[in-house]
Amino acid sequence: QVQLVESGGGLVQPGGSLRLSCAASGSIVNIATMGWYRQAPGKQRELVARISRIGIIDYLDSVEGRFTISRDNAKNTWYLQMNSLKPEDTAVYYCNTEPRILDWGQGTQVTVSS
């Protein structure tokens, strides 16, 4: 089965930026809608952004204008550029298809704090 590896998280001050990456072990990026999800402590996992096979993009309202999702089909990788980060963006971020069909990866922790 295709496996997913997220990276790029870290600790950042409010207003800062991070770029998350998700590498897939197989050639799935060019045939599926890919998404970024997040799960904050005590909350359900939510879809933050998705990008379709043909490049149609949707964002969670709370990140619209601050986050940018992109994909590199040749590298089986997709990205989430996060700007103007807020404390409420603190969560573990995961990538997967949308709808989810793969096992979850380990995620990458994003902490926004001064």
Side-chain angles (χ1 to χ4, degrees):
Q1 185 180 358
V2 174
Q3 298 199 347
L4 305 169
V5 179
E6 303 95 343
S7 62
L11 173 63
V12 64
Q13 292 186 342
S17 298
L18 286 172
R19 187 192 194 210
L20 307 184
S21 298
C22 179
S25 61
S27 297
I28 192 170
V29 176
N30 61 345
I31 62 172
T33 294
M34 314 308 296
W36 281 99
Y37 302 75
R38 68 185 181 188
Q39 186 166 22
K43 295 188 177 181
Q44 289 190 331
R45 198 170 331 215
E46 62 181 354
L47 178 67
V48 175
R50 62 184 177 186
I51 181 167
S52 76
R53 178 176 57 85
I54 58 173
I56 297 172
I57 294 173
D58 295 296
Y59 295 101
L60 186 68
D61 285 349
S62 61
V63 308
E64 180 86 49
R66 301 188 296 121
F67 290 10
T68 302
I69 189 171
S70 61
R71 62 196 293 165
D72 185 334
N73 291 348
K75 295 182 178 179
N76 294 321
T77 301
W78 65 108
Y79 308 94
L80 186 68
Q81 177 68 42
M82 305 187 296
N83 298 328
S84 302
L85 282 161
K86 303 177 180 180
E88 51 263 43
D89 295 318
T90 295
V92 180
Y93 283 70
Y94 302 87
C95 57
N96 214 308
T97 57
E98 203 288 316
R100 182 185 72 84
I101 59 173
L102 302 173
D103 290 340
W104 293 108
Q106 82 286 353
T108 186
Q109 176 70 48
V110 172
T111 302
V112 185
S113 175
S114 55

